[in-house]
Each structure stands twice: as C-alpha cells, then as structure tokens.
Amino acid sequence: MDCKANQKMLPAFLAGKLETRELKQFLIHVENCEECMEELTIQYLVMTGAAILEEGNSFDLHKELEGLLEEARKRVRKRRILTIFSYLCEIFAILAVILILIMVVFG
Ligand SMILES: [Zn+2]
C-alpha cells in the first residue's frame, strides 16, 4: 500500500471504522513509514486537540497515540486467533464427516 492510500484511511482509522484486514495493512504501513506516522500524529492531535483544550488536561500526545495503536494491534491479533480457530473447527467438521462416511461404508 502506498502513502496516498494509507493516508486516505486515516480518518476511518481514527474513527475506529477500519475492517481488520485494512487495519492490519494500515498498521504495518504506518509503523514502517515515518511520513505516514507523522500524518497520523497530526490528524490525531487535530481530532483530540479541541476536546483536550476544553478539558484543560495535561496530555501526552505520543503516549495516547501509542495506546491507540496498541489497541488496534490487539484487535488485529485477536481477529487472527479467531480466524485460525474457525479454520480448525472447519477442518474438524470435515474430518468428522469423513470418519462417519468411513464407518458407514466399512462398518
Ligand atoms: Zn507512508
């Protein structure tokens, strides 16, 4: 994915609306592309800035952003485990069917 495509996904990322596959691509790119990480930081600041100024809180932007990225990584990992698990279930179901067929034919 190039930078242009990545930065197009930024608003959806910040809104938490990326699908897992997109999210994964987005994270991989952002973590390896200084320019896009910078763009993400700026967009994040713009998005959260107003709310923070209103509340008057002290705010560690990089810590907050890192937290957001970590959440996203967890989401991708969790989804991957679910996907593997559902594949395994499918394989077991197929094996069970084969086993039943064998028992019917040879039993
Ligand atoms: Zn980039």
Side-chain angles (χ1 to χ4, degrees), residues 1-4 6-7 29-30 32-37:
M1 193 166 51
D2 61 19
C3 292
K4 217 172 150 191
N6 192 269
Q7 288 173 14
H29 184 98
V30 147
N32 294 295
C33 179
E34 218 169 291
E35 198 186 314
C36 286
M37 183 55 102

Side-chain angles (χ1 to χ4, degrees), residues 89-104:
C89 286
E90 235 166 271
I91 290 167
F92 278 126
I94 292 166
L95 284 177
V97 169
I98 292 170
L99 200 67
I100 290 167
L101 282 176
I102 288 172
M103 276 165 28
V104 167

Side-chain angles (χ1 to χ4, degrees), residues 31-46:
E31 280 163 2
N32 294 295
C33 179
E34 218 169 291
E35 198 186 314
C36 286
M37 183 55 102
E38 201 179 302
E39 185 63 27
L40 171 63
T41 308
I42 292 165
Q43 294 274 337
Y44 184 64
L45 181 64
V46 168

Side-chain angles (χ1 to χ4, degrees), residues 49-60:
I52 292 150
L53 285 175
E54 272 171 26
E55 287 173 22
N57 289 340
S58 64
F59 182 74
D60 187 336

Side-chain angles (χ1 to χ4, degrees), residues 60-75:
D60 187 336
L61 175 72
H62 285 280
K63 218 175 109 191
E64 291 289 324
L65 183 59
E66 188 44 50
L68 187 78
L69 288 170
E70 187 53 35
E71 278 302 305
R73 284 185 209 113
K74 273 186 200 155
R75 240 172 72 198

